[in-house]
Amino acid sequence: QVQLVQSGGGLVQAGDSLRLSCTGSGRTFSNYAMAWFRRAPGKEREFVAVIGWNGENVVNSLKGRFTISKDNAKNTLYLQMNNLKPEDTAVYYCAARYGSGSYSYYEYEYWGPGTQVTVSS
């Protein structure tokens, strides 16, 4: 059974940092592009960042504060979030897609269950 298990969310204050992790099991994700999406209360799911299967082809909508990375040896995806703001409050989801990455959430095959990030002002 293929699973993506997330960890690292929580309640922090504005300006703090968090690192989200997403570890795959049931298959190797070395040939998969992986991405982060988020959904804030009352809003649509939003693309955050994507990284190619080889760790290249990174697209990051929050570059400068967020950094996406991938460790194929550990089958793990990361999102380092710095200088968090209240508007970053959302449920964050990791996703995996065989081959190239995409900005479109519906093109991803596997999803993590989501982890809540809450940033207080």
Side-chain angles (χ1 to χ4, degrees), residues 22-24 27-31 34 53-54 69-78:
C22 170
T23 300
R27 70 162 63 240
T28 178
F29 286 92
S30 57
N31 293 324
M34 298 188 76
W53 64 271
N54 58 358
S69 61
K70 186 171 180 267
D71 187 335
N72 283 338
K74 296 182 178 180
N75 228 24
T76 299
L77 174 73
Y78 302 100

Side-chain angles (χ1 to χ4, degrees), residues 50-96:
V50 63
I51 187 167
W53 64 271
N54 58 358
E56 298 180 358
N57 301 317
V58 173
V59 178
N60 185 346
S61 69
L62 294 167
K63 187 177 180 180
R65 294 195 300 121
F66 289 14
T67 302
I68 187 171
S69 61
K70 186 171 180 267
D71 187 335
N72 283 338
K74 296 182 178 180
N75 228 24
T76 299
L77 174 73
Y78 302 100
L79 185 68
Q80 177 67 42
M81 305 184 294
N82 297 328
N83 190 23
L84 283 161
K85 303 178 179 181
E87 52 264 41
D88 295 320
T89 294
V91 177
Y92 285 72
Y93 299 90
C94 62

